[in-house]
Amino acid sequence: MLNHISRIQEKLQGLQRQYLQLQRDNERLVQQQQQFEEKDRLQQFRLEELERQLELVKATRPAQMNEADRQALEKRINQYLREIDKCIALLNE
């Protein structure tokens, strides 16, 4: 009977050690995930910034733009104008 209880206690201690190790592993993985998410967010921001810069460069050289680029620029400008109009309308309310 005591032998049986002793084995149960040993198994319980083993499970407790595994649980603590899994908790540490989980905390480490959560931190890694947060770091990756932050890195991804920064890369997305950088990509968007580079895309804006590319559009600006293309806009400063209209003679070198092909038809698709020109139409994309006009579309973007029109989107900005609509956003500005919405802001003005909100300010006038």
Side-chain angles (χ1 to χ4, degrees), residues 73-89:
L73 177 62
E74 287 178 8
K75 183 178 178 181
R76 185 73 156 189
I77 290 171
N78 287 333
Q79 287 174 341
Y80 287 143
L81 291 174
R82 283 192 293 276
E83 288 179 27
I84 291 169
D85 288 340
K86 287 179 186 177
C87 292
I88 291 171

Side-chain angles (χ1 to χ4, degrees), residues 15-66:
L15 289 173
Q16 286 174 329
R17 284 191 297 272
Q18 283 180 328
Y19 175 75
L20 292 174
Q21 182 60 45
L22 288 172
Q23 274 187 320
R24 288 190 293 269
D25 290 346
N26 187 43
E27 289 172 6
R28 180 180 49 80
L29 291 172
V30 166
Q31 288 176 350
Q32 281 182 344
Q33 180 184 8
Q34 290 171 345
Q35 290 171 352
F36 289 142
E37 287 173 354
E38 179 65 16
K39 193 178 217 180
D40 181 56
R41 188 186 66 76
L42 291 173
Q43 288 176 342
Q44 282 294 109
F45 177 77
R46 181 69 178 143
L47 177 63
E48 290 169 4
E49 182 63 28
L50 289 172
E51 287 173 345
R52 282 192 291 275
Q53 289 177 8
L54 179 61
E55 285 181 22
L56 182 60
V57 168
K58 286 180 179 179
T60 59
R61 298 180 183 163
Q64 298 174 355
M65 293 175 95
N66 62 34

